[in-house]
Amino acid sequence: MQNKNFDPEQIKILGYNIIQEQISSPPEFNVEAIQYHGFHVDMEVNMEPTEDLLKADLRIEVVTESEGGNEEEAQAVFRIVYIIRIGNLANFTLEHKGDRIVLESELGNYIAAVTYSTSRGILLQRVAGTGLKDFILPVIDTDSILNGELNNPDQFLL
């Protein structure tokens, strides 16, 4: 890595696309019976350092856990792809591992934070009026997304 200090103002979201949006909210779903919302988030990053472009692909799964009153749980799956320009991206990549380029951790954390927080707002809008209307993606340590440790996907019905 040539430059130790990354300037977050070098991150420019060029656009995003919701490529999957599935919400299952049963007609007689009682939100008062919800005990908690389970969720899982995965992120995959692909980049083209010579063009300073990065694609962050976020998959978010949400399911309710109710105590009585609901025969079916409300659940959702979202997949949101972000296209991001990063000034001097090649300066913030580490050694190649096989056919993969590794992103420097500070920049990885910025990308995870920006895409996750933007997705929080998108989900708030999309789940309004459904059985998931009270769900807000919590504030998290972005390392958990990068390490694949943000909740266990085995607990979900999706």
Side-chain angles (χ1 to χ4, degrees), residues 51-113:
E51 296 181 25
D52 291 339
L53 289 177
L54 181 140
K55 178 176 87 169
D57 188 340
L58 229 58
R59 179 180 164 84
I60 303 163
E61 301 174 5
V62 182
V63 64
T64 59
E65 185 64 39
S66 302
E67 186 173 296
N70 288 321
E71 289 182 31
E72 264 184 87
E73 297 297 336
Q75 50 189 326
V77 178
F78 292 90
R79 191 165 158 217
I80 307 169
V81 175
Y82 295 86
I83 303 299
I84 303 167
R85 181 171 310 280
I86 307 214
N88 299 315
L89 177 59
N91 292 343
F92 301 99
T93 59
L94 302 175
E95 74 280 355
H96 297 264
K97 294 200 176 189
D99 63 344
R100 302 185 85 172
I101 301 169
V102 178
L103 194 61
E104 193 272 330
S105 66
E106 183 182 13
L107 177 56
N109 276 316
Y110 279 119
I111 296 303

Side-chain angles (χ1 to χ4, degrees), residues 20-26 37-41 59-64 73-79 123 126-128 130-133 135 137 156-158:
Q20 182 179 14
E21 178 178 356
Q22 294 174 291
I23 300 173
S24 173
S25 181
H37 295 88
F39 73 101
H40 179 74
V41 178
R59 179 180 164 84
I60 303 163
E61 301 174 5
V62 182
V63 64
T64 59
E73 297 297 336
Q75 50 189 326
V77 178
F78 292 90
R79 191 165 158 217
L123 263 63
R126 300 295 197 177
V127 301
T130 74
L132 296 166
K133 69 182 180 77
F135 176 72
L137 275 171
F156 297 104
L157 305 172
L158 306 172

